[in-house]
Amino acid sequence: MSTILDRVFAKDPFEKEFHQAVTEVVRSVKPVLDKNPEYRHANILGRMIEPERVIQFRVPWVDDHGQIKVNRGFRIEMNSAIGPYKGGLRFHSSVNLSILKFLAFEQTFKNALTTLPLGAGKGGADFDPKGKSDNEVMRFCQSFMCELFRHLGPDTDIPAGDIGVGAREIGYLFGMYKKLKNEFSGVLTGKGLNWGGSLIRPEATGYGTVFFAEEMLAIRRESLKDKVCLVSASGNVAQYTIEKLNQLGAKVITISDSSGYIYDEKGIDEAKLQYVIYLKNGKRGRIREYADKYPEAVYTEFNGSLDHNPLWNHKADCAFPSATQNEINAKDAQNMINNGVYVVSEGANMPTMPEGVEIFLDNKILYAPGKAANAGGVAVSGLEMSQNSMRIKWTREEVEAKLKGIMQSIHAACLSASEEYGTPGNYVNGANIAGFVKVADSMMDQGIV
Ligand code: NDP
């Protein structure tokens, strides 16, 4: 087992996020390989770790002052054993090969869990739309698509959004794809409702994360009603996590962006959430402005010299990390436990560092890793693809019911795999094993390709 990890570390020594994601999966699936030597014989894990294809390209564009800029674009086509490559595009200054490979690797298991025929991919660029004009973002997206289009197709590779890629960016990307291919096809998901998008796609990841928490609590015969919740970030996932938590009678007391966080003891109710949505999606402002509008709230600027994130250090029952990878370290995890948090449902991908995960597991809280808890986004992307292919549109109620059913079946699959392999209630092992087995069996069926 360690030889696989040794090989990954030696081949790409600087890809620390990728190492982190692979290490967790390798540890979880060891008992599966021990029980099924044919997987080892076929080197399934070794093959899963190697992307089927990595595309890297130059993205030149002109800013509003006539300056010529250049960014780096990527697409990782990770695994197509169970369907066409599917996964988001991230535009953020931190984007590099390691981050995209970790995300694409996680996507392999996540997409398998959705029960839909979706392979895995991920992509993006080290371009940050923050502070750019609409025209600059449009020119960047057009240049990005001028290269990426040749690798995409509704049966080949279908990207969606992620950090920094929302409805605006998907629109510009789709416009250029359509022009270049002279074809109107469902090649991106997260599209506008007027031109092929699905109802509930914007809400799907956040809602799904809450549905997953509901399922975990149901095992203890509890619900989210009156639960006090911590949410990080204020982007797409955070917004709809808060919306669903409010609908279910919970109270959310925190929200953040990369500069700082808000603590609102009275709770971020529906009216305040509508202000956040206007602030972040319309005005494209900063979360500190929330405290100007609602003086009862306290804004704290993040201080890079602290060894913990103060957002996670408040009395609460549940936490929904919704920002980015590694936003919860061991100290944060311990602070959460000390403050009474016993449900963690990850909207973000890999937000908890391995030492933090250990603390959650040792304390036997209800802990759902992102690849299970946030699979609702890609699941509704899959439903958007189905609607596009069938040239139909399902109602809001239909899509939400399907989303809820998918989250329930992911929860059941994780729980049953965790029980089968002797770690009942360990959703980390459960998600890794259930996702792995489905992809592994498909790869076995398809031979050495
Ligand atoms: P958005 O771009 O809509 O929002 C991102 C939010 O996270 C912003 O509030 C941003 O703050 C904050 N953030 C980003 N980087 C950091 C950082 N380094 N430190 C602190 N805060 C940060 O992205 P999404 O809501 O779509 O994505 C959030 C997470 O959810 C990501 O991990 C993504 O991979 C995951 N996810 C998203 C899915 C989707 O459907 N959108 C599906 C599954 C998972 P600021 O504005 O200051 O940058």
Side-chain angles (χ1 to χ4, degrees), residues 201-263:
R201 177 59 189 89
E203 293 89 341
T205 307
Y207 279 18
T209 305
V210 176
F211 291 149
F212 202 96
E214 248 192 327
E215 289 301 301
M216 293 196 292
L217 278 164
I219 291 178
R220 297 191 182 181
R221 299 191 194 291
E222 289 185 46
S223 76
L224 281 161
K225 185 151 177 31
D226 297 328
K227 295 284 187 293
V228 176
C229 303
L230 308 175
V231 173
S232 63
S234 46
N236 170 263
V237 176
Q239 291 167 10
Y240 291 103
T241 296
I242 296 173
E243 181 167 278
K244 186 49 76 181
L245 285 170
N246 283 336
Q247 287 171 9
L248 295 174
K251 179 164 95 165
V252 177
I253 57 170
T254 61
I255 190 166
S256 64
D257 60 21
S258 55
S259 310
Y261 85 102
I262 292 289
Y263 172 69

Side-chain angles (χ1 to χ4, degrees), residues 90 92 103 110 122 130 161-165 201 205 233-238 256-259 280 286 302 322-325 347-349 374-375 377-378:
R90 177 176 291 193
H92 192 268
L103 288 163
K110 182 189 311 194
K122 201 83 192 187
K130 267 202 304 285
D162 190 78
I163 291 176
V165 179
R201 177 59 189 89
T205 307
S234 46
N236 170 263
V237 176
S256 64
D257 60 21
S258 55
S259 310
K280 299 307 281 188
R286 306 302 295 160
F302 287 137
S322 313
T324 193
Q325 65 276 356
N349 283 305
N374 71 33
V378 72

Side-chain angles (χ1 to χ4, degrees), residues 256-277:
S256 64
D257 60 21
S258 55
S259 310
Y261 85 102
I262 292 289
Y263 172 69
D264 186 343
E265 194 183 1
K266 292 206 168 123
I268 301 164
D269 60 20
E270 185 50 31
K272 290 171 174 175
L273 177 62
Q274 287 312 315
Y275 173 68
V276 170
I277 292 176

Side-chain angles (χ1 to χ4, degrees), residues 77-241:
E77 295 184 335
M78 194 76 197
N79 194 303
S80 62
I82 62 170
Y85 308 111
K86 179 89 198 97
L89 296 172
R90 177 176 291 193
F91 289 171
H92 192 268
S93 48
S94 64
V95 162
N96 58 33
L97 206 49
S98 172
I99 288 179
L100 295 179
K101 277 174 68 182
F102 116 66
L103 288 163
F105 185 66
E106 293 280 285
Q107 199 85 42
T108 308
F109 306 92
K110 182 189 311 194
N111 291 6
L113 288 170
T114 64
T115 68
L116 303 174
L118 301 170
K122 201 83 192 187
D126 60 350
F127 167 83
D128 198 340
K130 267 202 304 285
K132 308 284 191 310
S133 71
D134 284 352
N135 275 330
E136 287 176 324
V137 171
M138 180 179 74
R139 287 195 291 273
F140 177 82
C141 289
Q142 291 178 338
S143 178
F144 184 86
M145 189 50 89
C146 277
E147 171 56 34
L148 191 64
F149 85 99
R150 66 188 92 250
H151 307 288
L152 306 183
D155 297 314
T156 309
D157 186 348
I158 310 96
D162 190 78
I163 291 176
V165 179
R168 175 182 60 171
E169 290 75 15
I170 292 289
Y172 295 148
L173 290 164
F174 184 80
M176 185 47 93
Y177 180 87
K178 181 166 62 74
K179 185 179 172 95
L180 291 167
K181 295 283 275 204
N182 192 26
E183 153 189 311
F184 195 112
S185 60
V187 77
L188 288 156
T189 56
K191 298 186 289 297
L193 285 178
N194 289 333
W195 42 279
S198 173
L199 287 157
I200 302 287
R201 177 59 189 89
E203 293 89 341
T205 307
Y207 279 18
T209 305
V210 176
F211 291 149
F212 202 96
E214 248 192 327
E215 289 301 301
M216 293 196 292
L217 278 164
I219 291 178
R220 297 191 182 181
R221 299 191 194 291
E222 289 185 46
S223 76
L224 281 161
K225 185 151 177 31
D226 297 328
K227 295 284 187 293
V228 176
C229 303
L230 308 175
V231 173
S232 63
S234 46
N236 170 263
V237 176
Q239 291 167 10
Y240 291 103
T241 296

Side-chain angles (χ1 to χ4, degrees), residues 209-389:
T209 305
V210 176
F211 291 149
F212 202 96
E214 248 192 327
E215 289 301 301
M216 293 196 292
L217 278 164
I219 291 178
R220 297 191 182 181
R221 299 191 194 291
E222 289 185 46
S223 76
L224 281 161
K225 185 151 177 31
D226 297 328
K227 295 284 187 293
V228 176
C229 303
L230 308 175
V231 173
S232 63
S234 46
N236 170 263
V237 176
Q239 291 167 10
Y240 291 103
T241 296
I242 296 173
E243 181 167 278
K244 186 49 76 181
L245 285 170
N246 283 336
Q247 287 171 9
L248 295 174
K251 179 164 95 165
V252 177
I253 57 170
T254 61
I255 190 166
S256 64
D257 60 21
S258 55
S259 310
Y261 85 102
I262 292 289
Y263 172 69
D264 186 343
E265 194 183 1
K266 292 206 168 123
I268 301 164
D269 60 20
E270 185 50 31
K272 290 171 174 175
L273 177 62
Q274 287 312 315
Y275 173 68
V276 170
I277 292 176
Y278 154 73
L279 179 64
K280 299 307 281 188
N281 305 9
K283 188 174 176 210
R284 298 191 186 271
R286 306 302 295 160
I287 204 66
R288 75 170 74 85
E289 296 169 51
Y290 181 106
D292 301 333
K293 179 143 175 86
Y294 302 108
E296 68 271 27
V298 180
Y299 174 72
T300 307
E301 192 91 11
F302 287 137
N303 172 353
S305 64
L306 281 183
D307 64 354
H308 67 285
N309 179 345
L311 184 154
W312 303 122
N313 201 10
H314 291 277
K315 287 243 163 300
D317 304 298
C318 312
F320 294 85
S322 313
T324 193
Q325 65 276 356
N326 293 332
E327 57 170 307
I328 297 173
N329 65 19
K331 179 105 194 264
D332 296 319
Q334 193 55 55
N335 284 340
M336 285 191 210
I337 300 289
N338 297 345
N339 278 297
V341 170
Y342 68 104
V343 178
V344 177
S345 189
E346 294 183 342
N349 283 305
M350 206 170 74
T352 311
M353 292 176 163
E355 309 76 33
V357 172
E358 285 307 313
I359 290 171
F360 292 153
L361 295 177
D362 288 349
N363 282 277
K364 301 213 176 320
I365 66 164
L366 299 170
Y367 167 60
K371 63 170 77 78
N374 71 33
V378 72
V380 174
S381 277
L383 301 179
E384 182 173 330
M385 289 160 64
S386 305
Q387 293 170 82
N388 293 163
S389 302

